[in-house]
Amino acid sequence: MQRRSIARGSGGLACTDFSDYCQRMERGQIDVVRRFNRAVTQRVGALDDEYLSRDRSLGLSRLLWEIEPDGSEVRVLRSRLGLDSGYLSRQLRRLESDGLVTTDPDPDDGRVRKVRLTKTGVAERAVLDRASDGLAVSILDPLTDSQRGRLVAAMTEVGRLLLASQVRIEITDPRDPDARYCLRSYFEELGRRFDTGFDPARSLSASDEEMTLPDGLLLVASAQGSPMGCGALKLDPKTRIAEVKRMWASPDVRGLGLGRRILERLADEAIIRGMKTLRLETNRTLAEARSLYETAGFVEVEAFNTEQYAHHWFERNLER
């Protein structure tokens, strides 16, 4: 099957082979998304040069909202909002010229630039918060109670699905801060859920070296500048067997198919590296994990290692 070819532009993803790309989706679905985008941008005032009757656009107001009370790193803002560095710098200069923010090197690390709200910026954001509340009320007020409930539920689901569409999965150094966060969250969750708790030192190893090419790899899923999940492979070129390790997804994105996306990406990476079998083991308390593996083409087999925390062992043939 021909691979789709897409390139990122200022407006999102532009198809370099539009007809081939769009044939993979229903024309009606594309039309609905476009109508929804037009309706939302008009209704929330995104087309106004003076968003919420202030003297700045929605883009500038959104940037102001994203700055944490204790300040935010420029690189984090850039990642969270999906902006290129040049555009973000110009936007920050506009906020600085209005006396709303300051941008300075971090005292703890001069290589990191941090943006902080001034007193005027804090006051302006409070004004924006009140105006935004008013906009939300104006949307909800004409509706019946039943309609409000439906709209809020639909917005919640749309928000989660849009978040899922923003997730990117990349091979990451296990020592990277985002990787460390995912691995730590993985260990903590197993410690809470396993009947006997979980001690990584008593489990079969998946060290940083074993999760670094050529011995293995670690995938980290992230969206809006935050890590959302991970999954790793240990590679054995002699047996052509790859072991799946450290599968974890944030509770915030569960139910959105992220675990399956990570698992399929791991399978692709294993195939690229000449593996013929994918193996994994899991604990009996992780019923949702077993369900994922069973529906992803894995079959339960006899124990193939001595992992003391495992009750089920699975394999998937990558040559089919």
Side-chain angles (χ1 to χ4, degrees), residues 8-211:
R8 182 173 295 278
S10 59
L13 292 177
C15 300
T16 58
D17 186 354
F18 184 79
S19 60
D20 176 68
Y21 179 66
C22 292
Q23 283 174 2
R24 301 172 186 273
M25 303 178 189
E26 294 181 15
R27 179 70 247 180
Q29 291 179 329
I30 294 173
D31 291 340
V32 168
V33 170
R34 292 183 59 183
R35 284 197 300 272
F36 178 82
N37 290 344
R38 292 196 297 272
V40 169
T41 52
Q42 186 277 330
R43 186 63 183 89
V44 303
L47 304 178
D48 299 337
D49 292 333
E50 297 183 351
Y51 181 66
L52 295 177
S53 300
R54 309 304 291 171
D55 59 350
R56 66 188 61 86
S57 66
L58 171 59
L60 276 172
S61 296
R62 174 65 189 277
L63 178 56
L64 196 64
W65 263 313
E66 290 296 334
I67 300 171
E68 302 288 345
D70 295 330
S72 296
E73 294 182 15
V74 172
R75 65 174 183 84
V76 172
L77 291 173
R78 184 171 61 244
S79 177
R80 186 181 302 161
L81 296 174
L83 303 176
D84 67 66
S85 57
Y87 180 78
L88 178 60
S89 294
R90 293 191 296 273
Q91 295 290 74
L92 287 174
R93 284 198 296 270
R94 290 187 61 182
L95 294 179
E96 288 172 343
S97 67
D98 291 340
L100 301 176
V101 304
T102 60
T103 306
D104 301 291
D106 191 313
D108 299 323
D109 187 347
R111 298 168 299 177
V112 175
R113 295 171 61 230
K114 292 199 75 172
V115 183
R116 292 179 173 84
L117 295 172
T118 63
K119 289 184 178 179
T120 303
V122 172
E124 176 62 18
R125 195 164 71 176
V127 172
L128 284 172
D129 281 336
R130 290 193 295 271
S132 186
D133 286 345
L135 174 60
V137 169
S138 74
I139 293 173
L140 295 170
D141 184 58
L143 305 178
T144 65
D145 288 344
S146 175
Q147 288 173 326
R148 289 172 193 162
R150 288 165 52 199
L151 179 60
V152 169
M155 285 178 166
T156 300
E157 181 67 3
V158 167
R160 281 171 50 80
L161 291 173
L162 288 177
L163 177 62
S165 75
Q166 293 175 289
V167 171
R168 297 293 178 264
I169 302 173
E170 304 292 345
I171 298 176
T172 305
D173 189 318
R175 304 159 192 84
D176 181 87
D178 284 353
R180 288 295 192 221
Y181 170 83
C182 289
L183 294 171
R184 185 171 61 252
S185 299
Y186 166 81
F187 294 144
E188 290 172 353
E189 178 163 351
L190 297 192
R192 292 192 302 270
R193 297 187 63 179
F194 286 4
D195 298 335
T196 59
F198 180 74
D199 179 1
R202 299 175 60 192
S203 178
L204 294 180
S205 69
S207 65
D208 291 345
E209 292 73 20
E210 291 173 311
M211 294 188 292

Side-chain angles (χ1 to χ4, degrees), residues 254-283:
R254 288 183 188 169
L256 297 179
L258 179 58
R260 185 175 296 275
R261 282 182 61 184
I262 293 174
L263 189 60
E264 292 305 324
R265 174 68 182 274
L266 289 172
D268 289 343
E269 296 292 343
I271 291 170
I272 289 170
R273 288 163 179 83
M275 302 295 108
K276 64 178 183 179
T277 303
L278 203 56
R279 281 181 172 177
L280 56 85
E281 71 279 340
T282 191
N283 187 277

